Amino acid sequence: MTVSEDESGRSRVTRGATGTSWLRSPHPAVVADREGGVVEFNDAAADLFPRMGVGAWLDGVVPGWLADAHRRLAVPRGTQPATRPGGPPLRGSHDGRLLRAHPTESGHGDVAWWLVDDSDLTAAEDALRTEQERTALLAEASTQLLSSLNPDRCLEKAALLAAAHLGDAALVISPPVRNRYPVVTAVGERFDRSQVAMDPTSVPGLAEALQGFPPVPARWIDPAELPAWAVPEDFGEAPGSVAITPLPGHGVPAGALLLLRRGGQSAFDASEELFARLFAARAGAALSAARLYAEQARVTRALIAELLPPQLHHVRGVDFAGGYRTSQDTERIGGDFYDVHPGTDAGQETLAVLGDVCGKGLEAAVLTGRIRSTVQALLPLADDHQNVLRLLNGALLNSRHTRFATLVLASVGRADDRVRLRLTSAGHPRPLILRATGHVEEADTGGTLVGALPEVPCRSATVHLAPGDTCLLYTDGITEARGGPLGSAMFGEGRLRASLADCAGLPAEAVVERVQMIAGDWVGRGPHDDMAVVAITAPHTTRPSAGSDRAPDRNTA
């Protein structure tokens, strides 16, 4: 061991290299004294630092960050170092490589620095961090895209997410509608909707993407050849890189995603294109689900519109009113129904039908639609109630449904100031007749239910209504409704008669509202069956005939 001084007057200890095993380590290792002089080093350190030599000062042979770290750690005797060995490793770069330095203090004051090349590890950690961020983004994108089943909002969200995380601008292009392509363009947090008449072959890979084929590499697309519609007006400059990927759907392509990046940034690489495809797969699935839901909702609305009870009004000198409440307040259709069919000419009677299908909900509503359409087809035979019920019974027995129904038919005609009713009940509660005096009576009609037995014997009754009289048709959901003070008492026919008696002299619409209100108050929020009621009233005065022959409105009551 020798002691010497350099030009600056700093003393240093110089030791010759020994034959210890650490010298053969593949990792660079350097031993320096308190003053920063190199004491020993191995071949890996010499390869890493070409100026390395025994007796040289660290300041001149290693990067500044390592020399500074050694100064903080290796301080003169009697003082505390600013850094203690065993703490977190130091990191720094040298010659394009990322190094991790681990200090080890010897017993005689020297510090050994072990250097590990962290370039590959750092790259792997960066890649892992990127993938974790992308996975989190895909999960968040799926949540946001699937949170709405509205196709327009889903398109907007897909474009905004793509512009925020995949490129500087994004265009979501939907399949054409009448030769025009719906396009949602997003730049930053702004989006715009448009209908573009374009040739998809004008953009390389767009026509294929719209058909669901794999995307072409971004390097094949020349940004300078993009048509004007593909570059947003507020993009600010010519795009420097373009990527196009399909939006796969459920069997049918959902569209295409076009990404733009400004010229000052790097072009889309293979990793980014793959991530764009993963994002597009989720966006396409969400768009397909939203469009499928929208189509099903449209079909459902059309079907429900046909199953809803009609809005009743004045028909040929007679007032009609109807009310309907399903067993579930969240549903619009159920097992009860009513219809009013005006005659084809002034001398023909109007046929009113009120029925109750066994069960409730959608399946019962489907059968009500079948019954209503069958009755409408049998209107030419409406004068013969028995024949109509017989044919309807045969149609139900031959169907796949195992449900049955109860009905009441009312043929209504006006003669002078009186209204003539022919009433036929098929397993249904008998209609109630409210006289203008407040007296309530029951029509003498009865019969068996429809769709259960080979025959439907029934008995008809003829009733005349004077001005102010009302005939009430109702389903058993009214009389069998349970509620009241204790919550379990049945509403019953007695309460219905008493409530109806209070409606003497009221128009048909007011009678229906009164009955519905009282029955609704009785059940409160408790469970109940479907409730339907129809009132047929002979008005006190004859109304003008203009518009009186129109058919009932098919809108909701």
Side-chain angles (χ1 to χ4, degrees):
M1 178 181 70
T2 59
V3 180
S4 61
E5 293 184 356
D6 62 0
E7 295 82 355
S8 63
R10 293 189 301 179
S11 62
R12 56 183 176 176
V13 179
T14 304
R15 295 184 179 87
T18 65
T20 55
S21 61
W22 66 269
L23 294 174
R24 295 188 296 273
S25 170
H27 297 290
V30 180
V31 179
D33 58 23
R34 286 190 177 92
E35 298 298 326
V38 176
V39 176
E40 292 178 292
F41 60 91
N42 62 6
D43 292 340
D47 293 337
L48 182 62
F49 307 116
R51 299 172 59 188
M52 181 68 68
V54 174
W57 296 109
L58 284 179
D59 291 347
V61 296
V62 300
W65 61 269
L66 182 57
D68 292 340
H70 183 79
R71 260 190 305 273
R72 292 193 300 270
L73 180 62
V75 297
R77 296 178 185 275
T79 61
Q80 293 294 327
T83 305
R84 298 296 299 174
L90 302 171
R91 291 179 184 270
S93 60
H94 173 70
D95 197 20
R97 302 164 69 180
L98 185 64
L99 301 176
R100 176 162 39 96
H102 296 268
T104 302
E105 191 174 13
S106 67
H108 47 70
D110 295 344
V111 177
W113 290 96
W114 290 88
L115 303 176
V116 180
D117 189 346
D118 265 1
S119 299
D120 293 339
L121 177 60
T122 301
E125 290 176 345
D126 291 342
L128 176 60
R129 189 180 306 108
T130 299
E131 290 303 317
Q132 290 174 336
E133 292 173 353
R134 288 178 174 179
T135 300
L137 171 60
L138 291 176
E140 178 64 21
S142 297
T143 300
Q144 294 190 36
L145 290 169
L146 293 172
S147 63
S148 173
L149 290 176
N150 182 288
D152 291 339
R153 285 196 288 271
C154 193
L155 283 168
E156 296 166 4
K157 181 58 68 175
L160 289 171
L161 286 172
H165 301 285
L166 304 181
D168 298 319
L171 287 79
V172 179
I173 305 169
S174 299
V177 178
R178 293 186 292 275
N179 298 323
R180 298 181 72 88
Y181 291 79
V183 178
V184 177
T185 304
V187 180
E189 297 182 354
R190 303 182 304 277
F191 72 89
D192 179 63
R193 304 181 64 88
S194 60
Q195 300 283 332
V196 180
M198 65 172 172
D199 179 9
T201 60
S202 61
V203 179
L206 179 57
E208 293 79 3
L210 288 170
Q211 297 177 32
F213 293 111
V216 302
R219 63 180 182 274
W220 292 6
I221 306 174
D222 185 0
E225 296 182 357
L226 289 178
W229 64 264
V231 181
E233 295 181 358
D234 53 351
F235 192 63
E237 60 182 89
S241 182
V242 182
I244 298 176
T245 184
L247 295 172
H250 298 157
V252 179
L257 175 64
L258 189 151
L259 301 173
L260 302 178
R261 184 169 285 176
R262 293 187 171 89
Q265 303 185 33
S266 60
F268 291 101
D269 58 28
S271 174
E272 291 172 323
E273 290 184 79
L274 177 59
F275 179 61
R277 294 182 65 179
L278 295 175
F279 173 85
R282 285 159 174 77
L287 285 171
S288 292
R291 288 168 180 163
L292 179 61
Y293 176 81
E295 177 63 19
Q296 291 178 339
R298 186 187 66 81
V299 173
T300 301
R301 287 193 299 270
L303 294 176
I304 287 180
E306 291 299 317
L307 295 176
L308 289 173
Q311 184 174 355
L312 307 183
H313 43 69
H314 189 76
V315 179
R316 292 182 180 165
V318 181
D319 284 341
F320 291 87
Y324 183 56
R325 179 180 177 182
T326 59
S327 58
Q328 298 292 332
D329 292 336
T330 56
E331 297 177 351
R332 301 179 63 194
I333 54 178
D336 289 3
F337 65 94
Y338 58 79
D339 274 311
V340 172
H341 304 280
T344 56
D345 54 59
Q348 191 173 3
E349 295 175 322
T350 297
L351 179 66
V353 183
L354 182 138
D356 182 2
V357 172
C358 174
K360 46 192 168 183
L362 180 59
E363 292 184 0
V366 171
L367 185 55
T368 66
R370 182 183 180 91
I371 294 175
R372 293 170 68 184
S373 60
T374 303
V375 170
Q376 188 166 17
L378 296 175
L379 286 179
L381 308 176
D383 291 342
D384 188 348
H385 291 183
Q386 178 64 52
N387 197 23
V388 170
L389 293 174
R390 179 180 62 81
L391 294 173
L392 177 60
N393 184 69
L396 294 182
L397 289 176
N398 293 327
S399 70
R400 63 181 180 86
H401 295 281
T402 58
R403 299 172 182 267
F404 56 85
T406 64
L407 290 92
V408 58
L409 305 180
S411 292
V412 185
R414 186 179 178 99
D416 298 328
D417 61 344
R418 299 175 67 85
V419 175
R420 178 177 178 270
L421 299 177
R422 287 190 300 112
L423 302 170
T424 304
S425 174
H428 203 81
R430 296 180 179 181
L432 297 179
I433 310 301
L434 170 64
R435 299 301 180 183
T437 60
H439 176 69
V440 178
E441 59 191 56
E442 191 176 71
D444 186 17
T445 178
T448 60
L449 49 84
V450 179
L453 302 174
E455 301 294 334
V456 283
C458 56
R459 180 179 70 260
S460 300
T462 300
V463 176
H464 292 87
L465 301 181
D469 292 349
T470 296
C471 174
L472 185 73
L473 315 179
Y474 61 95
T475 60
D476 57 11
I478 298 289
T479 53
E480 295 180 1
R482 294 187 177 274
L486 300 179
S488 59
M490 189 176 296
F491 188 69
E493 187 175 329
R495 289 188 178 86
L496 177 60
R497 285 173 176 255
S499 302
L500 188 59
D502 295 336
C503 301
L506 295 180
E509 186 173 352
V511 173
V512 168
E513 291 180 356
R514 175 70 175 172
V515 172
Q516 281 191 305
M517 181 186 68
I518 294 177
D521 289 344
W522 182 260
V523 299
R525 297 184 178 181
H528 60 85
D529 199 357
D530 297 331
M531 300 180 181
V533 59
V534 171
I536 306 171
T537 300
H540 291 280
T541 57
T542 303
R543 300 185 183 182
S545 59
S548 62
D549 292 339
R550 60 180 179 175
D553 189 352
R554 299 299 301 179
N555 295 329
T556 306

